[in-house]
Amino acid sequence: MVRENIEVVRRNIRQVCERCGRRAEDITLIAVSKTKPFSSIQEAQAAGQRIFGENHVQEILDKTAAFPELEWHMIGHLQRNKVRQVIGKVSLIHSLDSLRLADQIEKEAAKMGITVPVLLEINVAKEESKYGFFLEDAERVLKTIAGFPHIQIKGLMTIAPFVEDPEENRLVFRKLYEFFIDTRAKNIDNVSMDHLSMGMTNDYPVAIEEGATMVRVGTGIFGERQYR
Ligand SMILES: *Cc1c(COP(=O)(O)O)cnc(C)c1O
């Protein structure tokens, strides 16, 4: 199942890229394995998948210990008291969503003598239920965090609203892409706009059409999640 699903997602990515004149190699697929057992991760690994996304700290610790050869990304809200456990274990945090969290990461990373790569999470649609910075605050925040020597901003991330028709999210993705390109052109010191993480199972084709460089697909690879 997992192998076939990954092949379908990869084929979809290739087809969307062909349609909109992008290169499939420029899209990184993150397999979101939250709540899924080690056996599912092994299946994905056997299908050639290397990068996995998780949103709970304990689960990341268990899975990074079990699969040190894979690359792990933190994609969910990170509590400040868990920062120390996670940094150094994950190769990218997609969800830098507050200045207080940035302060904590800076402090702990300095103690450990490491630099932590992050994406700034943007709440483009200003949903109350979501974390992240508003777009109009993002430039100021980027410039502030750019001054933190142990944090490296590598791009932007958003979680688009939950919608029936993915077309409804096209403008959300387009707005963030415009900000991504504008910011990249400004060449802010210690800020690189390499990654634009947007698009999930329901809307990743639209996100790619609108400029995503990373898509985070869970259900489309591993099936529905069961929360106990
Ligand atoms: C769970 C999750 C995903 C994957 O969602 P699917 O709809 O299952 O593809 C992507 N991004 C984030 C931040 C998530 O929490």
Side-chain angles (χ1 to χ4, degrees):
M1 253 294 262
V2 170
R3 168 183 289 278
E4 287 84 345
N5 289 344
I6 287 182
E7 279 162 12
V8 169
V9 173
R10 287 198 190 124
R11 187 183 326 125
N12 289 342
I13 291 174
R14 279 198 305 275
Q15 287 173 349
V16 176
C17 283
E18 266 169 41
R19 195 162 74 220
C20 64
R22 299 190 60 193
R23 303 181 332 158
E25 310 87 83
D26 294 340
I27 315 295
T28 302
L29 173 60
I30 319 288
V32 178
S33 49
K34 62 192 188 196
T35 78
K36 296 296 176 181
F38 288 0
S39 58
S40 297
I41 293 163
Q42 281 158 347
E43 281 182 71
Q45 187 178 19
Q49 183 63 31
R50 287 289 168 271
I51 310 182
F52 292 79
E54 290 283 340
N55 66 349
H56 278 111
V57 168
Q58 189 54 52
E59 213 174 335
I60 289 199
L61 297 179
D62 293 344
K63 287 173 174 171
T64 51
F67 298 94
E69 70 280 23
L70 298 175
E71 205 181 306
W72 294 91
H73 290 185
M74 175 60 177
I75 62 171
H77 176 62
L78 178 57
Q79 289 172 302
R80 286 181 302 142
N81 62 1
K82 304 265 173 75
V83 164
R84 182 157 24 113
Q85 294 172 273
V86 167
I87 59 173
K89 299 255 167 54
V90 297
S91 55
L92 186 63
I93 296 173
H94 290 229
S95 42
L96 182 61
D97 57 14
S98 74
L99 279 173
R100 294 177 77 209
L101 176 61
D103 281 332
Q104 186 72 20
I105 294 174
E106 172 58 30
K107 195 171 93 190
E108 297 294 344
K111 274 194 226 161
M112 292 165 71
I114 60 172
T115 307
V116 178
V118 303
L119 307 181
L120 203 66
E121 180 171 350
I122 311 291
N123 183 359
V124 179
K126 296 189 171 170
E127 290 178 284
E128 276 192 24
S129 60
K130 295 235 165 85
Y131 293 100
F133 299 97
F134 290 163
L135 212 36
E136 60 263 38
D137 299 327
E139 183 172 346
R140 182 179 51 81
V141 169
L142 276 173
K143 286 179 172 160
T144 301
I145 300 174
F148 292 14
H150 299 88
I151 296 183
Q152 205 173 18
I153 299 175
K154 306 283 275 179
L156 307 171
M157 178 272 229
T158 196
I159 306 172
F162 183 77
V163 290
E164 279 289 309
D165 177 1
E167 280 299 327
E168 291 176 54
N169 280 334
R170 186 176 292 281
L171 285 179
V172 167
F173 296 141
R174 189 170 294 174
K175 263 194 190 167
L176 192 59
Y177 178 73
E178 281 166 8
F179 179 73
F180 177 75
I181 293 298
D182 289 349
T183 306
R184 180 190 268 172
K186 287 183 181 150
N187 280 319
I188 304 168
D189 260 356
N190 197 32
V191 173
S192 65
M193 285 288 126
D194 298 336
H195 306 304
L196 182 56
S197 170
M198 56 186 197
M200 308 178 14
T201 297
N202 189 43
D203 55 17
Y204 71 89
V206 178
I208 292 171
E209 286 170 356
E210 296 300 331
T213 68
M214 286 183 166
V215 293
R216 309 177 307 265
V217 180
T219 312
I221 291 176
F222 298 108
E224 294 289 335
R225 286 178 290 274
Q226 253 143 36
Y227 291 97
R228 260 164 258 120

